[in-house]
Amino acid sequence: EVQLVESGGGLVQAGGSLRLSCAASGFTFDDYAIGWFRQAPGKERERISCISSSDGYIDYTDSVKGRFTISSDNAKNTVYLQMNKLKPEDTAVYYCAADYYCSNRMEYWGKGTLVTVSS
């Protein structure tokens, strides 16, 4: 069974940092791309970053570029999202997702972890 489990969310003050983790199981990790998405109440889900090690591909949406860093530890089947200089507008439920390629609609999803940034 494909399983993706996010962790690392919580409450942080503006300007602070968090590191999210996405632990994957049930598929060949090295063959898949992993994306990070977020959704705030009343807003559309957006892709904020994606990594595909086999394709040598990484991307970020403009609003997080320079503040967030995605990385992959293939030995642990885990992808991380380091989030620095957090802003209140970063408040959302953060999800990781897996598919063969990075896209705006990916196949497998975790349940999400809540990030709340206070001012």
Side-chain angles (χ1 to χ4, degrees):
E1 180 184 358
V2 173
Q3 189 171 29
L4 300 167
V5 180
E6 303 94 338
S7 62
L11 175 64
V12 64
Q13 293 187 70
S17 298
L18 286 172
R19 189 176 75 158
L20 305 184
S21 298
C22 174
S25 62
F27 61 95
T28 303
F29 184 82
D30 294 352
D31 293 340
Y32 280 75
I34 304 293
W36 282 100
F37 296 73
R38 68 185 181 188
Q39 188 167 27
K43 295 186 176 181
E44 297 293 323
R45 186 184 66 202
E46 63 172 339
R47 193 178 91 191
I48 57 174
S49 187
C50 194
I51 184 168
S52 176
S53 296
S54 61
D55 293 334
Y57 179 82
I58 294 176
D59 68 23
Y60 302 92
T61 194
D62 286 344
S63 64
V64 309
K65 196 172 298 182
R67 299 189 297 123
F68 292 9
T69 303
I70 192 170
S71 62
S72 179
D73 186 341
N74 290 2
K76 296 182 177 180
N77 286 2
T78 300
V79 168
Y80 303 96
L81 186 69
Q82 178 67 45
M83 306 187 296
N84 298 326
K85 298 181 178 180
L86 284 160
K87 305 174 180 179
E89 51 262 46
D90 294 319
T91 295
V93 177
Y94 284 70
Y95 301 89
C96 65
D99 209 337
Y100 191 71
Y101 299 108
C102 291
S103 74
N104 291 326
R105 298 188 179 275
M106 300 181 78
E107 184 69 22
Y108 304 106
W109 292 81
K111 295 180 180 179
T113 185
L114 178 62
V115 172
T116 303
V117 183
S118 65
S119 59

